[in-house]
mmCIF file of all heavy atoms in Angstrom:
data_model
loop_
_atom_site.group_PDB
_atom_site.id
_atom_site.type_symbol
_atom_site.label_atom_id
_atom_site.label_comp_id
_atom_site.label_asym_id
_atom_site.label_seq_id
_atom_site.Cartn_x
_atom_site.Cartn_y
_atom_site.Cartn_z
ATOM 1 N N THR D 1 109.608 129.497 97.545
ATOM 2 C CA THR D 1 109.571 130.468 98.666
ATOM 3 C C THR D 1 108.324 131.336 98.456
ATOM 4 O O THR D 1 108.090 131.871 97.394
ATOM 5 C CB THR D 1 110.846 131.360 98.611
ATOM 6 O OG1 THR D 1 111.987 130.540 98.676
ATOM 7 C CG2 THR D 1 110.859 132.354 99.786
ATOM 8 N N ASP D 2 107.543 131.464 99.527
ATOM 9 C CA ASP D 2 106.343 132.318 99.548
ATOM 10 C C ASP D 2 106.514 133.312 100.679
ATOM 11 O O ASP D 2 106.883 132.983 101.778
ATOM 12 C CB ASP D 2 105.119 131.484 99.863
ATOM 13 C CG ASP D 2 104.600 130.689 98.698
ATOM 14 O OD1 ASP D 2 105.334 130.464 97.718
ATOM 15 O OD2 ASP D 2 103.432 130.244 98.757
ATOM 16 N N ASP D 3 106.221 134.581 100.355
ATOM 17 C CA ASP D 3 106.200 135.685 101.332
ATOM 18 C C ASP D 3 104.898 136.409 101.156
ATOM 19 O O ASP D 3 104.629 136.943 100.075
ATOM 20 C CB ASP D 3 107.395 136.621 101.175
ATOM 21 C CG ASP D 3 108.692 135.959 101.653
ATOM 22 O OD1 ASP D 3 108.817 135.712 102.876
ATOM 23 O OD2 ASP D 3 109.536 135.690 100.783
ATOM 24 N N TRP D 4 104.081 136.423 102.184
ATOM 25 C CA TRP D 4 102.765 137.075 102.162
ATOM 26 C C TRP D 4 102.751 138.166 103.254
ATOM 27 O O TRP D 4 103.192 137.927 104.377
ATOM 28 C CB TRP D 4 101.673 136.076 102.466
ATOM 29 C CG TRP D 4 101.586 134.950 101.524
ATOM 30 C CD1 TRP D 4 102.447 133.896 101.331
ATOM 31 C CD2 TRP D 4 100.518 134.710 100.540
ATOM 32 N NE1 TRP D 4 102.023 133.060 100.341
ATOM 33 C CE2 TRP D 4 100.871 133.517 99.854
ATOM 34 C CE3 TRP D 4 99.388 135.381 100.219
ATOM 35 C CZ2 TRP D 4 100.041 133.029 98.847
ATOM 36 C CZ3 TRP D 4 98.565 134.886 99.233
ATOM 37 C CH2 TRP D 4 98.900 133.717 98.545
ATOM 38 N N ASP D 5 102.149 139.292 102.926
ATOM 39 C CA ASP D 5 102.093 140.414 103.896
ATOM 40 C C ASP D 5 100.777 141.135 103.667
ATOM 41 O O ASP D 5 100.533 141.735 102.637
ATOM 42 C CB ASP D 5 103.236 141.369 103.672
ATOM 43 C CG ASP D 5 103.387 142.376 104.755
ATOM 44 O OD1 ASP D 5 102.539 142.431 105.691
ATOM 45 O OD2 ASP D 5 104.364 143.178 104.723
ATOM 46 N N PHE D 6 99.873 140.954 104.639
ATOM 47 C CA PHE D 6 98.511 141.526 104.566
ATOM 48 C C PHE D 6 98.393 142.557 105.678
ATOM 49 O O PHE D 6 98.788 142.302 106.803
ATOM 50 C CB PHE D 6 97.430 140.477 104.722
ATOM 51 C CG PHE D 6 97.436 139.447 103.691
ATOM 52 C CD1 PHE D 6 97.993 138.173 103.873
ATOM 53 C CD2 PHE D 6 96.811 139.688 102.450
ATOM 54 C CE1 PHE D 6 98.013 137.218 102.893
ATOM 55 C CE2 PHE D 6 96.783 138.691 101.450
ATOM 56 C CZ PHE D 6 97.386 137.486 101.670
ATOM 57 N N ALA D 7 97.732 143.664 105.393
ATOM 58 C CA ALA D 7 97.439 144.684 106.418
ATOM 59 C C ALA D 7 96.073 145.298 106.120
ATOM 60 O O ALA D 7 95.744 145.554 104.985
ATOM 61 C CB ALA D 7 98.529 145.775 106.448
ATOM 62 N N ALA D 8 95.266 145.523 107.208
ATOM 63 C CA ALA D 8 93.935 146.095 107.048
ATOM 64 C C ALA D 8 93.912 147.463 107.723
ATOM 65 O O ALA D 8 94.717 147.763 108.580
ATOM 66 C CB ALA D 8 92.886 145.186 107.663
ATOM 67 N N ALA D 9 92.930 148.243 107.345
ATOM 68 C CA ALA D 9 92.799 149.584 107.882
ATOM 69 C C ALA D 9 92.544 149.570 109.377
ATOM 70 O O ALA D 9 92.887 150.511 110.123
ATOM 71 C CB ALA D 9 91.663 150.331 107.201
ATOM 72 N N GLY D 10 91.980 148.468 109.932
ATOM 73 C CA GLY D 10 91.674 148.362 111.329
ATOM 74 C C GLY D 10 92.894 147.967 112.176
ATOM 75 O O GLY D 10 92.773 147.733 113.375
ATOM 76 N N GLY D 11 94.069 147.822 111.548
ATOM 77 C CA GLY D 11 95.300 147.443 112.284
ATOM 78 C C GLY D 11 95.632 146.000 112.224
ATOM 79 O O GLY D 11 96.707 145.575 112.658
ATOM 80 N N GLU D 12 94.733 145.135 111.695
ATOM 81 C CA GLU D 12 95.051 143.729 111.572
ATOM 82 C C GLU D 12 96.153 143.530 110.542
ATOM 83 O O GLU D 12 96.206 144.191 109.535
ATOM 84 C CB GLU D 12 93.765 142.964 111.109
ATOM 85 C CG GLU D 12 92.620 142.981 112.062
ATOM 86 C CD GLU D 12 91.769 144.207 111.930
ATOM 87 O OE1 GLU D 12 92.017 145.057 111.082
ATOM 88 O OE2 GLU D 12 90.791 144.278 112.646
ATOM 89 N N HIS D 13 97.028 142.592 110.854
ATOM 90 C CA HIS D 13 98.147 142.304 109.921
ATOM 91 C C HIS D 13 98.546 140.859 110.079
ATOM 92 O O HIS D 13 98.497 140.259 111.108
ATOM 93 C CB HIS D 13 99.361 143.200 110.148
ATOM 94 C CG HIS D 13 99.927 143.079 111.552
ATOM 95 N ND1 HIS D 13 99.411 143.711 112.633
ATOM 96 C CD2 HIS D 13 100.937 142.298 112.030
ATOM 97 C CE1 HIS D 13 100.110 143.400 113.709
ATOM 98 N NE2 HIS D 13 101.041 142.520 113.350
ATOM 99 N N ILE D 14 98.983 140.271 108.933
ATOM 100 C CA ILE D 14 99.547 138.903 108.894
ATOM 101 C C ILE D 14 100.744 138.939 107.993
ATOM 102 O O ILE D 14 100.693 139.468 106.847
ATOM 103 C CB ILE D 14 98.498 137.901 108.334
ATOM 104 C CG1 ILE D 14 97.304 137.798 109.268
ATOM 105 C CG2 ILE D 14 99.179 136.539 108.169
ATOM 106 C CD1 ILE D 14 96.236 136.858 108.741
ATOM 107 N N GLN D 15 101.857 138.394 108.473
ATOM 108 C CA GLN D 15 103.094 138.204 107.655
ATOM 109 C C GLN D 15 103.467 136.739 107.743
ATOM 110 O O GLN D 15 103.526 136.177 108.824
ATOM 111 C CB GLN D 15 104.202 139.046 108.186
ATOM 112 C CG GLN D 15 104.012 140.539 108.053
ATOM 113 C CD GLN D 15 105.153 141.306 108.657
ATOM 114 O OE1 GLN D 15 105.602 141.029 109.784
ATOM 115 N NE2 GLN D 15 105.616 142.316 107.923
ATOM 116 N N LEU D 16 103.645 136.139 106.538
ATOM 117 C CA LEU D 16 104.002 134.727 106.483
ATOM 118 C C LEU D 16 105.208 134.554 105.606
ATOM 119 O O LEU D 16 105.292 135.168 104.484
ATOM 120 C CB LEU D 16 102.859 133.908 105.921
ATOM 121 C CG LEU D 16 103.167 132.471 105.567
ATOM 122 C CD1 LEU D 16 103.102 131.649 106.855
ATOM 123 C CD2 LEU D 16 102.189 131.913 104.561
ATOM 124 N N HIS D 17 106.174 133.779 106.038
ATOM 125 C CA HIS D 17 107.344 133.401 105.216
ATOM 126 C C HIS D 17 107.410 131.896 105.228
ATOM 127 O O HIS D 17 107.394 131.255 106.310
ATOM 128 C CB HIS D 17 108.614 134.019 105.763
ATOM 129 C CG HIS D 17 109.849 133.473 105.100
ATOM 130 N ND1 HIS D 17 110.233 133.801 103.782
ATOM 131 C CD2 HIS D 17 110.779 132.561 105.534
ATOM 132 C CE1 HIS D 17 111.319 133.146 103.487
ATOM 133 N NE2 HIS D 17 111.699 132.377 104.550
ATOM 134 N N LEU D 18 107.504 131.270 104.073
ATOM 135 C CA LEU D 18 107.607 129.847 103.987
ATOM 136 C C LEU D 18 108.554 129.451 102.814
ATOM 137 O O LEU D 18 108.470 129.986 101.721
ATOM 138 C CB LEU D 18 106.209 129.226 103.715
ATOM 139 C CG LEU D 18 106.117 127.743 103.507
ATOM 140 C CD1 LEU D 18 106.541 126.976 104.755
ATOM 141 C CD2 LEU D 18 104.733 127.311 103.084
ATOM 142 N N LYS D 19 109.489 128.551 103.113
ATOM 143 C CA LYS D 19 110.360 128.029 102.142
ATOM 144 C C LYS D 19 110.327 126.495 102.268
ATOM 145 O O LYS D 19 110.499 125.987 103.350
ATOM 146 C CB LYS D 19 111.803 128.543 102.341
ATOM 147 C CG LYS D 19 112.801 128.129 101.286
ATOM 148 C CD LYS D 19 114.139 128.785 101.535
ATOM 149 C CE LYS D 19 115.103 128.482 100.438
ATOM 150 N NZ LYS D 19 116.381 129.183 100.675
ATOM 151 N N TYR D 20 110.059 125.823 101.190
ATOM 152 C CA TYR D 20 109.928 124.344 101.195
ATOM 153 C C TYR D 20 110.404 123.710 99.905
ATOM 154 O O TYR D 20 110.512 124.381 98.878
ATOM 155 C CB TYR D 20 108.463 123.995 101.467
ATOM 156 C CG TYR D 20 107.498 124.398 100.399
ATOM 157 C CD1 TYR D 20 107.120 123.502 99.386
ATOM 158 C CD2 TYR D 20 106.947 125.639 100.337
ATOM 159 C CE1 TYR D 20 106.259 123.813 98.377
ATOM 160 C CE2 TYR D 20 106.072 126.023 99.370
ATOM 161 C CZ TYR D 20 105.712 125.133 98.366
ATOM 162 O OH TYR D 20 104.840 125.474 97.384
ATOM 163 N N VAL D 21 110.652 122.447 99.945
ATOM 164 C CA VAL D 21 111.040 121.689 98.769
ATOM 165 C C VAL D 21 109.748 121.050 98.236
ATOM 166 O O VAL D 21 109.043 120.349 98.955
ATOM 167 C CB VAL D 21 112.036 120.572 99.136
ATOM 168 C CG1 VAL D 21 112.341 119.688 97.922
ATOM 169 C CG2 VAL D 21 113.368 121.198 99.661
ATOM 170 N N ARG D 22 109.458 121.313 96.947
ATOM 171 C CA ARG D 22 108.242 120.792 96.361
ATOM 172 C C ARG D 22 108.399 119.282 96.199
ATOM 173 O O ARG D 22 109.400 118.740 95.860
ATOM 174 C CB ARG D 22 108.042 121.420 94.972
ATOM 175 C CG ARG D 22 106.722 121.002 94.338
ATOM 176 C CD ARG D 22 106.578 121.557 92.934
ATOM 177 N NE ARG D 22 106.482 123.013 92.987
ATOM 178 C CZ ARG D 22 106.656 123.814 91.910
ATOM 179 N NH1 ARG D 22 106.954 123.257 90.729
ATOM 180 N NH2 ARG D 22 106.536 125.097 92.018
ATOM 181 N N GLY D 23 107.239 118.620 96.458
ATOM 182 C CA GLY D 23 107.184 117.139 96.350
ATOM 183 C C GLY D 23 106.056 116.733 95.413
ATOM 184 O O GLY D 23 105.385 117.588 94.845
ATOM 185 N N PRO D 24 105.835 115.425 95.257
ATOM 186 C CA PRO D 24 104.766 114.981 94.432
ATOM 187 C C PRO D 24 103.442 115.332 95.083
ATOM 188 O O PRO D 24 103.272 115.176 96.260
ATOM 189 C CB PRO D 24 104.956 113.439 94.385
ATOM 190 C CG PRO D 24 105.753 113.130 95.639
ATOM 191 C CD PRO D 24 106.623 114.337 95.909
ATOM 192 N N ALA D 25 102.525 115.810 94.294
ATOM 193 C CA ALA D 25 101.202 116.254 94.796
ATOM 194 C C ALA D 25 100.218 115.082 94.748
ATOM 195 O O ALA D 25 100.259 114.259 93.865
ATOM 196 C CB ALA D 25 100.685 117.441 94.005
ATOM 197 N N ASN D 26 99.327 115.038 95.712
ATOM 198 C CA ASN D 26 98.240 114.049 95.746
ATOM 199 C C ASN D 26 97.065 114.607 94.981
ATOM 200 O O ASN D 26 96.691 115.748 95.198
ATOM 201 C CB ASN D 26 97.819 113.767 97.186
ATOM 202 C CG ASN D 26 98.969 113.232 98.028
ATOM 203 O OD1 ASN D 26 99.558 112.234 97.654
ATOM 204 N ND2 ASN D 26 99.281 113.935 99.088
ATOM 205 N N LYS D 27 96.526 113.816 94.057
ATOM 206 C CA LYS D 27 95.352 114.281 93.261
ATOM 207 C C LYS D 27 94.082 113.834 93.960
ATOM 208 O O LYS D 27 94.014 112.792 94.581
ATOM 209 C CB LYS D 27 95.438 113.658 91.865
ATOM 210 C CG LYS D 27 96.602 114.162 91.069
ATOM 211 C CD LYS D 27 96.633 113.612 89.675
ATOM 212 C CE LYS D 27 97.819 114.155 88.916
ATOM 213 N NZ LYS D 27 97.870 113.640 87.526
ATOM 214 N N GLY D 28 93.077 114.720 93.821
ATOM 215 C CA GLY D 28 91.779 114.390 94.409
ATOM 216 C C GLY D 28 90.683 115.223 93.769
ATOM 217 O O GLY D 28 90.915 115.936 92.759
ATOM 218 N N GLY D 29 89.521 115.135 94.291
ATOM 219 C CA GLY D 29 88.403 115.879 93.806
ATOM 220 C C GLY D 29 87.139 115.018 93.711
ATOM 221 O O GLY D 29 87.118 113.933 94.274
ATOM 222 N N GLY D 30 86.153 115.506 93.010
ATOM 223 C CA GLY D 30 84.924 114.760 92.877
ATOM 224 C C GLY D 30 83.786 115.660 92.392
ATOM 225 O O GLY D 30 84.004 116.825 92.032
ATOM 226 N N ALA D 31 82.576 115.124 92.399
ATOM 227 C CA ALA D 31 81.409 115.861 91.946
ATOM 228 C C ALA D 31 80.374 115.940 93.016
ATOM 229 O O ALA D 31 80.188 114.972 93.755
ATOM 230 C CB ALA D 31 80.875 115.256 90.666
ATOM 231 N N THR D 32 79.673 117.043 93.113
ATOM 232 C CA THR D 32 78.600 117.241 94.094
ATOM 233 C C THR D 32 77.414 117.855 93.333
ATOM 234 O O THR D 32 77.586 118.757 92.546
ATOM 235 C CB THR D 32 79.030 118.199 95.211
ATOM 236 O OG1 THR D 32 80.197 117.679 95.827
ATOM 237 C CG2 THR D 32 77.907 118.369 96.206
ATOM 238 N N LYS D 33 76.227 117.305 93.558
ATOM 239 C CA LYS D 33 75.015 117.824 92.981
ATOM 240 C C LYS D 33 74.278 118.676 93.952
ATOM 241 O O LYS D 33 74.091 118.278 95.108
ATOM 242 C CB LYS D 33 74.111 116.696 92.480
ATOM 243 C CG LYS D 33 74.622 115.967 91.251
ATOM 244 C CD LYS D 33 73.626 114.948 90.782
ATOM 245 C CE LYS D 33 74.168 114.248 89.589
ATOM 246 N NZ LYS D 33 73.216 113.226 89.036
ATOM 247 N N PHE D 34 73.827 119.871 93.511
ATOM 248 C CA PHE D 34 73.047 120.776 94.353
ATOM 249 C C PHE D 34 71.647 120.855 93.717
ATOM 250 O O PHE D 34 71.472 121.363 92.608
ATOM 251 C CB PHE D 34 73.678 122.173 94.399
ATOM 252 C CG PHE D 34 75.054 122.166 95.040
ATOM 253 C CD1 PHE D 34 76.201 122.059 94.283
ATOM 254 C CD2 PHE D 34 75.139 122.285 96.432
ATOM 255 C CE1 PHE D 34 77.429 122.070 94.880
ATOM 256 C CE2 PHE D 34 76.402 122.286 97.073
ATOM 257 C CZ PHE D 34 77.527 122.189 96.296
ATOM 258 N N PHE D 35 70.653 120.276 94.392
ATOM 259 C CA PHE D 35 69.296 120.213 93.857
ATOM 260 C C PHE D 35 68.512 121.450 94.240
ATOM 261 O O PHE D 35 68.649 122.005 95.288
ATOM 262 C CB PHE D 35 68.582 118.959 94.429
ATOM 263 C CG PHE D 35 69.152 117.675 93.903
ATOM 264 C CD1 PHE D 35 70.159 117.052 94.529
ATOM 265 C CD2 PHE D 35 68.624 117.128 92.726
ATOM 266 C CE1 PHE D 35 70.717 115.868 94.035
ATOM 267 C CE2 PHE D 35 69.170 115.948 92.208
ATOM 268 C CZ PHE D 35 70.224 115.280 92.839
ATOM 269 N N ASN D 36 67.615 121.853 93.313
ATOM 270 C CA ASN D 36 66.685 122.945 93.504
ATOM 271 C C ASN D 36 65.583 122.475 94.416
ATOM 272 O O ASN D 36 64.847 121.550 94.015
ATOM 273 C CB ASN D 36 66.125 123.412 92.137
ATOM 274 C CG ASN D 36 65.162 124.552 92.273
ATOM 275 O OD1 ASN D 36 64.647 124.878 93.356
ATOM 276 N ND2 ASN D 36 64.871 125.167 91.141
ATOM 277 N N PRO D 37 65.395 123.026 95.617
ATOM 278 C CA PRO D 37 64.369 122.509 96.524
ATOM 279 C C PRO D 37 62.930 122.703 95.986
ATOM 280 O O PRO D 37 62.039 121.944 96.286
ATOM 281 C CB PRO D 37 64.560 123.366 97.796
ATOM 282 C CG PRO D 37 65.622 124.334 97.548
ATOM 283 C CD PRO D 37 66.171 124.069 96.221
ATOM 284 N N ALA D 38 62.708 123.714 95.109
ATOM 285 C CA ALA D 38 61.345 123.908 94.534
ATOM 286 C C ALA D 38 61.114 122.899 93.430
ATOM 287 O O ALA D 38 59.948 122.579 93.126
ATOM 288 C CB ALA D 38 61.245 125.326 93.993
ATOM 289 N N ASN D 39 62.153 122.425 92.774
ATOM 290 C CA ASN D 39 62.009 121.421 91.708
ATOM 291 C C ASN D 39 63.221 120.489 91.724
ATOM 292 O O ASN D 39 64.263 120.784 91.068
ATOM 293 C CB ASN D 39 61.945 122.143 90.365
ATOM 294 C CG ASN D 39 61.729 121.155 89.193
ATOM 295 O OD1 ASN D 39 61.724 119.974 89.388
ATOM 296 N ND2 ASN D 39 61.594 121.688 87.986
ATOM 297 N N PRO D 40 63.135 119.373 92.413
ATOM 298 C CA PRO D 40 64.262 118.467 92.598
ATOM 299 C C PRO D 40 64.799 117.857 91.272
ATOM 300 O O PRO D 40 65.857 117.288 91.258
ATOM 301 C CB PRO D 40 63.757 117.393 93.532
ATOM 302 C CG PRO D 40 62.644 118.026 94.250
ATOM 303 C CD PRO D 40 61.985 118.983 93.279
ATOM 304 N N ALA D 41 63.999 118.036 90.233
ATOM 305 C CA ALA D 41 64.506 117.509 88.914
ATOM 306 C C ALA D 41 65.580 118.445 88.381
ATOM 307 O O ALA D 41 66.312 118.067 87.445
ATOM 308 C CB ALA D 41 63.350 117.428 87.927
ATOM 309 N N GLN D 42 65.664 119.674 88.889
ATOM 310 C CA GLN D 42 66.704 120.608 88.454
ATOM 311 C C GLN D 42 67.850 120.596 89.474
ATOM 312 O O GLN D 42 67.642 120.593 90.668
ATOM 313 C CB GLN D 42 66.169 122.021 88.384
ATOM 314 C CG GLN D 42 65.113 122.225 87.306
ATOM 315 C CD GLN D 42 64.555 123.677 87.359
ATOM 316 O OE1 GLN D 42 64.648 124.355 88.362
ATOM 317 N NE2 GLN D 42 63.970 124.100 86.247
#
């Protein structure tokens, strides 16, 4: 069970209620390279 309640000074608000049965999770991910444009060897 998750209950989230957010409120901002500008009047914005979000309330969320969720109840669920946990199941098997799918695994994922990977690797990403970010190259330095001034020196692509880095």
Side-chain angles (χ1 to χ4, degrees):
T1 304
D2 282 18
D3 288 293
W4 299 70
D5 192 355
F6 298 98
E12 296 86 359
H13 61 277
I14 297 177
Q15 292 178 314
L16 171 81
H17 169 74
L18 177 64
K19 185 175 184 178
Y20 64 96
V21 176
R22 185 183 295 164
N26 301 303
K27 293 182 180 180
T32 303
K33 288 184 179 180
F34 297 94
F35 291 90
N36 179 345
N39 181 357
Q42 295 178 339

